[in-house]
Amino acid sequence: MSKSAHIDTFANDHLPPREQWPELVFDLPELQFAERINCAHDLLDQWVAAGHGNRPCVIAGGSGEVWTYAQLQAEANRIAHVLVDDLGVQPGNRVLLRGANTPQMAACWFAIIKAGAIAVGTMPLLRAKELTQVVQKARVTHALCDERLAEELDKAREQCPTLRSVVHYRSTAADGLESLSERKSAHFANVDTAAEDCCIIAFTSGTTGQPKGTMHNHRDVLAACRCWPVHCLRATADDVFIGSPPLAFTFGLGGLLLFPLSVGASTVLLEQAAPEVLLPAIAKYRASVCFTAPTSYRAMAAKAGEHDLSSLRKCVSAGEALPAATRKLWKEATGIEMIDGIGSTEMLHIFISHDESNARPGATGKAVPGYQACVLDDEGQVLPVGKVGRLAVKGPTGCRYLDDERQRNYVSGGWNLTGDAYLLDADGYFVYQARTDDMIISGGYNIAGPEVESALLTHPAVAECGVIGVADEERGQIVKAFVVLREGRVAGPEMAKALQDYVKAMIAPYKYPRAIEFRPSLPRTETGKLQRFRLRQEAPQ
Ligand code: 3UK
């Protein structure tokens, strides 16, 4: 291993022990990496050096302001000087980033990477309590925070003794980042980091309990750029990326920053990216590659006809299983065959997917070149075709939790176990069933909630739905559906009966929802995932 550039060795000191790491596989020619990498060079500086500096790079979705590659580089370099010269950031320090998706946030991210420090992204909606958990866990020393989101971080500071300095960006204050950076040189010599020096700690989204920090190094970042984007997405320098996931979520970091820059393309960063904002933004910026979650495509499909979406050529869905009904709606509305992909914070990005011409409704796809995948039983044996078990993957990236006992749950026998129940079909496609702990067992049958959801979603009255198991004396559990109806549809026993009959006719009748509850909306994480555990908490156990 090449010598670390980190002076602050916290990240290295808190990696899981080697025997708990997943096996890392680098068997493709494009996955041979140098021992020293600063990924900011490959993603940003390299383009300017190659004469690409005047090309558009990041675009502010609100104002339409365009930053070229050269401008983003100059701004990142100035901020890197602020970090190092004014704030005393040392290689290996953890720097928290807090803000919506903006060009300034992208510049801050690159500044942190250039300075050899570790970027700790945080979701804009996090409150003081959750920010405190992140700061304490990652022992964050510095923070760059959008002035508009200063309040919750201020509240957190009292409980965060390691956090030495907080600088606000998008600020006009005398001690704001812009005033500090405008005096600095636009040239910065990147810290010569080792390929295996940690550069991001991404906290896992959503679920309950203590957040888990996943550690990824400079090589992981480049490896992610050379697998799925090259083999499945195949974007070019002329593409304009757009989408909804926050840059703090690795789905967004990859899709809206790393991947566009890895091919010299441009990316529209939207501060708000609800479906009703995303649609006109696609038209306004003539975006060609869109990243968002299945529910967002479903909502957008209904309004697609009101916007000029002729620029769109690739639509990526991830974060949750893509129901066949949603794929169909989007295709009918836009003519585009979506690219589905399963990724995780632990794996950094997508590892099972397909390209547009190999899409199979209801299936996620095949292992992305560079990755291997299989379905294992509870003893870790590979299951034959058609059997439901645990999804296991390995490749050039993998799970390394920051100081966390749960490493043993995610990694076993060299495989990353994502917590998803899958089956492999006869043609080599992986078909999602449910989260392993979301399987419903009713009257002795295993029922995957998402399959029932997919069936319900094909009914014209259903806008959204979530299916869980609730305790039942006779059957152990019964299937319960929470349904959001489309505008103008009437909730009630008649509608419930109609939906039940509909599901019975569509999939094996024992899977039909014996209970149906109508809701105005469903609980979701900021990354768009349905929080089935919240539905379960509300239901009698
Ligand atoms: C679920 C999917 C079926 C699955 C993510 C793309 O979602 C991402 O990361 P998270 O850590 O969650 C991981 C879990 O989400 N999931 C994601 N995509 C799909 N299930 N089909 C899909 N296409 O349970 C997985 O284990 O929040 C997604 C890229 C980067 C990411 N971090």
Side-chain angles (χ1 to χ4, degrees):
M1 208 180 109
S2 189
K3 195 176 173 308
S4 172
H6 285 183
I7 292 171
D8 175 347
T9 60
F10 171 81
N12 227 340
D13 297 343
H14 292 86
L15 281 165
R18 278 276 164 170
E19 66 274 12
Q20 290 178 23
W21 285 31
E23 189 188 331
L24 296 170
V25 189
F26 301 95
D27 54 5
L28 296 181
E30 62 266 37
L31 296 178
Q32 309 311 307
F33 293 100
E35 288 197 343
R36 311 224 48 101
I37 301 172
N38 187 311
C39 65
H41 169 84
D42 297 72
L43 294 170
L44 183 55
D45 302 330
Q46 176 261 124
W47 289 113
V48 181
H52 198 84
N54 290 328
R55 297 268 299 187
C57 183
V58 282
I59 297 153
S63 64
E65 187 184 335
V66 179
W67 295 27
T68 63
Y69 275 81
Q71 285 171 317
L72 181 66
Q73 182 197 41
E75 199 51 36
N77 285 347
R78 290 194 180 97
I79 299 169
H81 279 296
V82 174
L83 293 175
V84 175
D85 307 343
D86 298 355
L87 308 178
V89 168
Q90 292 203 325
N93 280 170
R94 277 76 53 215
V95 182
L96 181 140
L97 265 176
R98 175 166 170 77
N101 291 0
T102 57
Q104 289 84 354
M105 155 87 92
C108 289
W109 189 86
F110 275 109
I112 296 167
I113 302 297
K114 283 170 161 273
I118 299 172
V120 182
T122 55
M123 306 282 179
L125 282 183
L126 294 195
R127 309 290 240 150
K129 180 168 171 282
E130 295 132 328
L131 288 167
T132 304
Q133 288 178 323
V134 168
V135 171
Q136 290 181 348
K137 185 78 200 181
R139 276 192 236 159
V140 169
T141 54
H142 301 78
L144 298 175
C145 178
D146 190 316
E147 193 171 65
R148 289 151 194 78
L149 291 176
E151 197 181 323
E152 291 293 322
L153 189 58
D154 279 346
K155 282 194 216 157
R157 280 193 85 171
E158 207 175 303
Q159 306 289 324
C160 297
T162 60
L163 184 52
R164 294 206 293 271
S165 65
V166 176
V167 175
H168 295 153
Y169 66 89
R170 297 177 79 208
S171 159
T172 49
D175 58 354
L177 186 62
E178 283 73 13
S179 324
L180 297 173
S181 67
E182 77 185 359
R183 305 174 216 149
K184 302 293 185 190
S185 160
H187 298 277
F188 180 85
N190 296 347
V191 171
D192 180 27
T193 39
E196 294 198 353
D197 278 336
C198 177
C199 66
I200 59 176
I201 298 178
F203 280 84
T204 50
S205 56
T207 50
T208 44
Q210 269 287 329
K212 294 172 273 194
T214 67
M215 305 164 88
H216 299 287
N217 59 40
H218 292 269
R219 186 191 61 209
D220 296 328
V221 168
L222 295 190
C225 293
R226 291 186 193 175
C227 292
W228 178 81
V230 175
H231 294 280
C232 298
L233 184 67
R234 291 195 286 269
T236 73
D238 292 324
D239 274 306
V240 180
F241 286 57
I242 200 164
S244 67
L247 295 178
F249 180 26
T250 63
F251 179 36
L253 181 70
L256 299 176
L257 190 62
L258 308 178
F259 302 164
L261 271 61
S262 73
V263 294
S266 63
T267 179
V268 180
L269 298 176
L270 299 167
E271 287 183 61
Q272 300 288 336
E276 57 279 12
V277 181
L278 190 47
L279 273 175
I282 293 169
K284 176 172 174 192
Y285 296 104
R286 305 237 10 106
S288 54
V289 179
C290 179
F291 283 79
T292 188
T295 38
S296 162
Y297 283 112
R298 201 173 162 84
M300 289 198 298
K303 303 256 162 68
E306 298 162 26
H307 302 270
D308 174 10
L309 304 182
S310 57
S311 57
L312 264 187
R313 54 183 211 108
K314 291 173 189 268
C315 294
V316 180
S317 169
E320 274 193 315
L322 173 65
T326 303
R327 176 186 285 286
K328 185 160 170 267
L329 274 182
W330 189 249
K331 193 166 182 185
E332 283 165 2
T334 64
I336 296 173
E337 191 70 74
M338 270 193 249
I339 302 175
D340 185 10
I342 177 172
S344 72
T345 310
E346 289 83 353
M347 299 301 294
L348 190 52
H349 220 272
I350 293 173
F351 48 84
I352 292 177
S353 184
H354 56 81
D355 62 14
E356 307 87 306
S357 52
N358 290 290
R360 166 167 304 211
T364 316
K366 300 185 178 185
V368 168
Y371 289 86
Q372 303 165 16
C374 60
V375 178
L376 301 178
D377 68 13
D378 290 345
E379 275 70 55
Q381 300 298 313
V382 178
L383 282 166
V385 161
K387 295 279 182 222
V388 176
R390 299 159 184 246
L391 180 65
V393 290
K394 58 174 82 156
T397 59
C399 176
R400 294 180 221 92
Y401 286 133
L402 166 67
D403 183 26
D404 205 307
E405 278 302 314
R406 291 169 286 186
Q407 177 75 16
R408 291 171 198 276
N409 304 342
Y410 206 94
V411 176
S412 175
W415 292 97
N416 297 276
L417 302 175
T418 63
D420 298 293
Y422 258 86
L423 66 78
L424 182 61
D425 76 9
D427 302 322
Y429 280 81
F430 286 88
V431 183
Y432 178 79
Q433 308 295 307
R435 292 286 303 166
T436 347
D437 42 17
D438 275 350
M439 280 299 236
I440 303 163
I441 305 170
S442 180
Y445 288 109
N446 275 335
I447 301 168
E451 189 190 354
V452 185
E453 289 164 11
S454 295
L456 279 167
L457 286 173
T458 63
H459 192 283
V462 177
E464 277 184 72
C465 66
V467 168
I468 59 162
V470 293
D472 178 76
E473 216 158 282
E474 195 186 329
R475 291 167 199 278
Q477 282 185 311
I478 58 163
V479 176
K480 175 166 183 179
F482 293 82
V483 174
V484 181
L485 290 175
R486 284 189 191 279
E487 265 172 42
R489 304 291 184 141
V490 185
E494 266 167 51
M495 178 61 82
K497 174 82 170 54
L499 295 177
Q500 287 170 326
D501 290 344
Y502 182 79
V503 173
K504 278 191 210 166
M506 215 181 150
I507 54 178
Y510 68 85
K511 296 176 181 170
Y512 87 96
R514 285 170 193 272
I516 292 189
E517 186 177 323
F518 295 100
R519 288 279 177 98
S521 66
L522 296 176
R524 289 189 180 275
T525 65
E526 196 184 347
T527 58
K529 282 195 218 311
L530 178 64
Q531 292 172 306
R532 293 194 183 76
F533 73 93
R534 286 236 244 145
L535 295 173
R536 273 197 296 268
Q537 280 167 2
E538 297 159 14
Q541 286 308 299

